[in-house]
Amino acid sequence: LTERFGPDLTDWIAASRDRVMGAAYESTPGDAVGVPDNPALTCLPQAMTVAHQHYIDRFGDTGSAAGGGRRVILFVVQEGETNTVDQRMLEFELWERHRVPVVRMSLTRADTNVRLDEETGALSVLPHDDECEGCSTNNNNDDKWCEVSVVYFRAGYAPTDYPDGEDGIEWKARKTIERSKATKCPNLGYHLAGTKKVQQALARPGILERFFTGDPKKDELVRDLKGAFAGLYSLGEDAGKEDIDAVSEAISGGEGAYVLKPQREGGGYNYYGDRLAVKLKENLERTDGEIKLGKDLAEFILMERLFPPQQRSVLLRAGKVEGTGESISELGCFGTIVATHEGQALHNQYSGYILRTKFSDVDEGGVASGFATLSSPYLC
């Protein structure tokens, strides 16, 4: 999801860095100094192209495909999407560099404009008029349907992306897409693997070890991975003593050491400080000194709060100085991987970064939600 800021804005920041920093900016290829290059705009479309080409190699040439023989990549976007700039940058890169056409469509529209061949598993999409550069323009309706090689989800992560409800048209469209042989980015399994609950479950004792069975370096790998974990605690039916102890601390004056997180992306949904303590107390019972968690807490996890180093910064928003003060930053690195249905990695590459900065007295994060700004790392 945070990739939405990767290609265009961070690339613009990189292009502007010498103008902003003047003589303070120094960087030469290969040297670990200065502002590192950010290849997100080229690496992300490159990975999509690898998946696109693998689909063609696996299922035959384009001559038998719908839409005059063209395979397309389907971008699933929000209805009435306003955050289109970076999506278009990826789309333009796919077409201009790789000659891979893109169709953009919401899950709502996909209910009528996406169909599945039950016999072959092929997914086809009917583009909006004049939307798909490189697609057939034949007036014959069947020829306007294009076979989909890759589905790239930029929507479908929030309840608001399924306005018709649990049995509504958006979920039906999602099911149709998931049942197809098109490559999904991400598929439903990987989508769920990115939720807070799965992150918390992976932190359980003995869980990571399951993924390294037979590896002679299992103990070392598990130790290194767990060294990067924050404390993660369940508030559901599987909550154990360690989880309850964390809840007890959070409602007994230690709320500042924790964050209460729902299964949502973006900023504005977390609970901190007094609000966290109140939320927990309202949804638990105490009987003879024992804590019983309410059902409404099961949608959350309790997480150890991190306190990054602070530095003094000037933050800009909409071209104006928002303020000056102590700030904290979060660095995220993009990676792209394309794997076969049998688990063979065809492509595995570092693909750029994103650095978000906010004032240290701001609890929430998120650039689109207005809590943080984009920045660049300076290596020295």
Side-chain angles (χ1 to χ4, degrees):
L1 275 179
T2 52
E3 180 277 307
R4 59 187 168 183
F5 301 114
D8 57 335
L9 294 179
T10 51
D11 202 50
W12 174 85
I13 290 173
S16 305
R17 60 197 176 195
D18 52 350
R19 293 197 297 271
V20 174
M21 301 176 66
Y25 171 69
E26 296 180 7
S27 182
T28 56
D31 289 346
V33 65
V35 181
D37 290 333
N38 193 351
L41 181 57
T42 56
C43 288
L44 298 174
Q46 180 185 4
M48 294 185 201
T49 302
V50 171
H52 173 81
Q53 187 58 50
H54 177 68
Y55 182 96
I56 294 173
D57 294 342
R58 183 181 178 197
F59 297 113
D61 61 35
T62 58
S64 59
R70 298 307 299 263
R71 265 67 178 258
V72 303
I73 293 179
L74 174 62
F75 280 21
V76 176
V77 300
Q78 292 180 332
E79 189 76 14
E81 176 70 83
T82 58
N83 184 36
T84 61
V85 175
D86 71 291
Q87 298 173 11
R88 291 296 189 184
M89 295 287 281
L90 294 173
E91 177 184 342
F92 298 157
E93 180 76 5
L94 280 164
W95 176 249
E96 293 169 4
R97 186 183 295 268
H98 304 287
R99 282 298 184 260
V100 178
V102 168
V103 174
R104 294 162 44 83
M105 189 169 293
S106 68
L107 286 170
T108 302
R109 180 63 69 93
D111 178 59
T112 55
N113 285 46
V114 167
R115 67 186 184 188
L116 176 67
D117 186 319
E118 295 287 350
E119 182 176 345
T120 67
L123 185 73
S124 298
V125 61
L126 180 62
H128 303 296
D129 292 340
D130 302 323
E131 179 191 28
C132 176
E133 189 167 13
C135 293
S136 171
T137 57
N138 192 306
N139 290 328
N140 184 301
N141 193 50
D142 285 340
D143 285 346
K144 286 188 175 182
W145 288 85
C146 299
E147 186 173 341
V148 177
S149 60
V150 178
V151 182
Y152 174 47
F153 284 99
R154 289 295 295 265
Y157 299 90
T160 51
D161 293 331
Y162 304 89
D164 202 31
E166 293 185 6
D167 297 321
I169 58 176
E170 291 84 15
W171 276 115
K172 290 178 181 178
R174 181 70 187 262
K175 182 178 180 180
T176 298
I177 293 171
E178 291 293 335
R179 292 176 58 227
S180 76
K181 65 183 182 182
T183 301
K184 272 73 70 174
C185 176
N187 63 26
L188 193 56
Y190 276 99
H191 183 164
L192 293 174
T195 62
K196 307 294 189 299
K197 182 60 183 178
V198 172
Q199 295 171 18
Q200 176 262 308
L202 286 172
R204 291 286 197 198
I207 299 300
L208 277 182
E209 287 82 350
R210 294 168 50 194
F211 299 95
F212 297 97
T213 302
D215 193 314
K217 295 184 178 180
K218 179 178 72 172
D219 293 341
E220 179 182 351
L221 289 169
V222 170
R223 183 185 68 247
D224 290 345
L225 286 170
K226 286 189 173 181
F229 285 10
L232 297 161
Y233 307 98
S234 172
L235 302 179
E237 294 180 355
D238 60 334
K241 182 180 183 305
E242 183 181 22
D243 306 305
I244 299 298
D245 289 345
V247 171
S248 178
E249 181 181 0
I251 62 175
S252 303
E255 64 273 7
Y258 296 94
V259 181
L260 186 64
K261 292 188 172 186
Q263 310 303 310
R264 298 291 299 273
E265 295 291 340
Y269 304 106
N270 299 334
Y271 290 81
Y272 298 84
D274 293 340
R275 291 185 65 240
L276 180 152
V278 170
K279 183 70 173 178
L280 290 176
K281 290 176 182 178
E282 289 177 345
N283 291 278
L284 58 79
E285 297 179 2
R286 285 180 170 180
T287 306
D288 298 329
E290 293 188 0
I291 294 176
K292 181 179 179 181
L293 303 176
K295 292 182 178 180
D296 289 344
L297 287 178
E299 66 178 279
F300 297 88
I301 67 162
L302 192 63
M303 178 180 169
E304 174 191 359
R305 186 170 183 176
L306 304 178
F307 296 94
Q310 299 183 16
Q311 61 179 2
R312 194 161 184 80
S313 300
V314 178
L315 301 188
L316 302 176
R317 188 180 303 279
K320 297 180 180 180
V321 175
E322 182 176 346
T324 303
E326 294 299 318
S327 70
I328 56 177
S329 298
E330 179 185 61
L331 177 67
C333 293
F334 301 128
T336 52
I337 182 167
V338 181
T340 69
H341 64 292
E342 297 175 337
Q344 177 189 0
L346 304 176
H347 175 91
N348 190 357
Q349 183 182 44
Y350 161 75
S351 299
Y353 62 84
I354 181 172
L355 184 70
R356 291 171 290 192
T357 299
K358 65 180 183 179
F359 289 123
S360 57
D361 60 350
V362 175
D363 285 331
E364 283 288 359
V367 175
S369 51
F371 298 104
T373 60
L374 291 172
S375 186
S376 293
Y378 183 86
L379 305 181
C380 55

